[in-house]
Amino acid sequence: GAGVSQSPSNKVTEKGKDVELRCDPISGHTALYWYRQSLGQGLEFLIYFQGNSAPDKSGLPSDRFSAERTGGSVSTLTIQRTQQEDSAVYLCASSLPGTAKKLFFGSGTQLSVL
Amino acid sequence: SQKIEQNSEALNIQEGKTATLTCNYTNYSPAYLQWYRQDPGRGPVFLLLIRENEKEKRKERLKVTFDTTLKQSLFHITASQPADSATYLCALSSTGSYKLIFGSGTRLLVRP
């Protein structure tokens, strides 16, 4: 596709359930980021993938959060045993490899935990 | 601790005026700084990138300055238009790091 695609666009779940959020980056972009944005707040870094290198997981808030990137393309962010404080917009971005590269963002997944 | 600060209050200006947004940071040595625009319900969109050895960057009606002594970046929109109304986010990254850290953004409202 022409841009970064995220699905679903909205997800409502019950506390304690697991959720999976998907990100399909721009073709050829080997770098992929996940961020979280709470209402009225800035973007909180979660995890970064670059090619076949080990991901930078330093932003994951707890061990309930995990992410994988299969085949260097599509990425899935999984939140286990969701809590109400996990409610936020989860944004995925991709870029060309290297530093000083601009990020291309998807429209995000709005997660609501009831 | 490391901080990136942007005005949390909305900036409300008249169409045609210049909007100036501020991004201050502490305990960072950024190699470069980026500005993004975010509209409601959408992901941020890249606007400009400025490196630590650059003082100023321009693109059409946009201008960014970067003062590593003051630890501050200013983002200017000249001849502002109502369509410029959005939230503007600054983001920075340290030397050798791929991690881009964002400020909380400033909302700009341009009145017709």
Side-chain angles (χ1 to χ4, degrees):
Chain A
V4 176
S5 177
Q6 291 189 247
S7 61
S9 55
N10 281 283
K11 177 72 176 178
V12 180
T13 190
E14 293 179 350
K15 178 181 171 181
K17 300 283 189 183
D18 297 351
V19 295
E20 283 190 354
L21 312 180
R22 177 188 168 105
C23 173
D24 201 342
I26 292 172
S27 177
H29 281 192
T30 58
L32 188 147
Y33 302 74
W34 282 98
Y35 287 87
R36 177 169 72 174
Q37 187 172 32
S38 301
L39 191 62
Q41 302 297 311
L43 278 66
E44 176 189 4
F45 169 82
L46 297 178
I47 189 168
Y48 165 79
F49 294 91
Q50 169 52 44
N52 295 321
S53 302
D56 179 346
K57 304 179 183 181
S58 60
L60 294 178
S62 77
D63 58 8
R64 296 186 295 105
F65 288 72
S66 63
E68 63 176 22
R69 189 176 185 192
T70 53
S73 181
V74 171
S75 177
T76 303
L77 177 69
T78 301
I79 308 174
Q80 294 178 311
R81 305 181 302 281
T82 52
Q83 304 293 313
Q84 288 184 331
E85 60 263 29
D86 299 335
S87 297
V89 175
Y90 289 82
L91 290 160
C92 175
S94 70
S95 75
L96 292 170
T99 57
K101 302 299 182 186
K102 59 185 178 182
L103 270 57
F104 294 80
F105 283 87
S107 292
T109 294
Q110 172 72 64
L111 175 65
S112 300
V113 182
L114 305 179
Chain B
S1 61
Q2 295 178 319
K3 268 188 191 177
I4 303 173
E5 293 181 338
Q6 296 185 254
N7 279 352
S8 57
E9 288 187 22
L11 178 63
N12 197 324
I13 64 169
Q14 184 72 43
E15 181 177 9
K17 301 292 186 184
T18 296
T20 298
L21 306 176
T22 304
C23 175
N24 295 299
Y25 59 91
T26 53
N27 295 322
Y28 275 108
S29 295
Y32 59 93
L33 190 146
Q34 301 185 21
W35 284 88
Y36 287 77
R37 168 184 173 141
Q38 187 173 27
D39 291 285
R42 307 302 298 271
V45 175
F46 171 82
L47 296 174
L48 280 168
L49 179 151
I50 186 166
R51 299 175 190 275
E52 61 177 334
N53 60 351
E54 297 175 316
K55 297 296 183 188
E56 183 179 296
K57 204 71 152 315
R58 291 176 185 260
K59 179 183 174 183
E60 298 172 351
R61 294 186 295 113
L62 308 181
K63 184 178 87 171
V64 172
T65 63
F66 193 7
D67 189 325
T68 54
T69 301
L70 291 178
K71 298 186 183 297
Q72 181 182 79
S73 174
L74 298 179
F75 177 80
H76 307 271
I77 305 175
T78 57
S80 60
Q81 304 166 0
D84 296 326
S85 298
T87 296
Y88 292 85
L89 301 158
C90 72
L92 54 82
S93 182
S94 300
T95 302
S97 174
Y98 300 95
K99 191 186 301 184
L100 199 58
I101 306 300
F102 283 80
S104 56
T106 298
R107 188 171 172 216
L108 172 66
L109 299 171
V110 181
R111 303 189 308 274

